[in-house]
Amino acid sequence: MYSFQQNSPETQPSQGANLVIPSDLLVSCATVPLLFGILSARAAAELMVTIGSVSEEVFRGDRLPVLNFPHN
């Protein structure tokens, strides 16, 4: 069977650097940012819960000073 591929300048592979990166290296390089993202998301969620509980305490009024208003 005859192949219809022609060796024109447009279809020839480039003679530049054909760098092939192994998938193991890509996975190992992507692991650190992924773990950092997961840990920072967990820390941000914990911070939001802490801020929410502190704001509840402030708005409840337990820690607000008692104001003495004069009665007429």
Side-chain angles (χ1 to χ4, degrees):
M1 183 168 192
Y2 181 71
S3 174
F4 290 105
Q5 294 178 354
Q6 296 177 359
N7 288 333
S8 64
E10 294 88 24
T11 60
Q12 288 181 353
S14 64
Q15 297 297 327
N18 290 333
L19 181 64
V20 177
I21 300 174
S23 62
D24 294 344
L25 182 63
L26 290 175
V27 169
S28 65
C29 289
T31 302
V32 173
L34 182 69
L35 289 176
F36 181 73
I38 290 172
L39 290 176
S40 62
R42 183 181 294 171
E46 186 176 328
L47 177 67
M48 291 298 163
V49 168
T50 304
I51 289 173
S53 56
V54 167
S55 67
E56 285 180 15
E57 291 294 322
V58 167
F59 290 126
R60 188 166 50 163
D62 287 348
R63 298 178 186 218
L64 295 176
V66 177
L67 299 176
N68 296 322
F69 290 107
H71 299 286
N72 292 335

